[in-house]
Amino acid sequence: MESKNNRLLNNEINLTKLTLIAGAFATLGEGLSTIATALAIEEEEVAAEKQSIELKNELKNLQKQIDTLTKEVRQLRKTLGR
């Protein structure tokens, strides 16, 4: 009888240990998931900043083109006597 009780107790201890190990793996997995999410957010921020810089450069180029065309229109007006 005592042998059966010992086996039951050992089984419960083993189950408790397995539960603890499973919990540790779950916690580790959640931690890795959190880190991956943080890295993805950082990557999106970098991409957004890069896109912002590209848009600013494009706007600068468009402004230069507008300025050049404005000068040309003024020169044409002078040439035509207006």
Side-chain angles (χ1 to χ4, degrees):
M1 196 70 151
E2 190 167 320
S3 166
K4 187 175 183 180
N5 285 339
N6 282 342
R7 279 186 286 175
L8 288 174
L9 184 59
N10 283 339
N11 283 343
E12 285 182 32
I13 290 171
N14 287 336
L15 287 173
T16 303
K17 287 179 181 179
L18 284 174
T19 303
L20 177 65
I21 292 169
F25 278 120
T27 302
L28 179 62
E30 289 176 16
L32 291 174
S33 176
T34 301
I35 291 170
T37 301
L39 290 173
I41 290 170
E42 185 177 329
E43 186 176 317
E44 288 177 16
E45 288 174 342
V46 169
E49 187 170 335
K50 183 179 177 183
Q51 184 179 17
S52 175
I53 290 169
E54 289 172 356
L55 288 173
K56 285 179 185 179
N57 288 336
E58 189 174 335
L59 285 174
K60 283 180 185 179
N61 288 336
L62 288 172
Q63 185 61 50
K64 285 180 185 178
Q65 290 176 4
I66 291 170
D67 292 344
T68 301
L69 290 172
T70 303
K71 276 184 180 179
E72 289 178 10
V73 168
R74 286 183 184 151
Q75 288 174 351
L76 284 172
R77 284 184 179 168
K78 284 182 185 179
T79 303
L80 295 174
R82 292 185 181 183

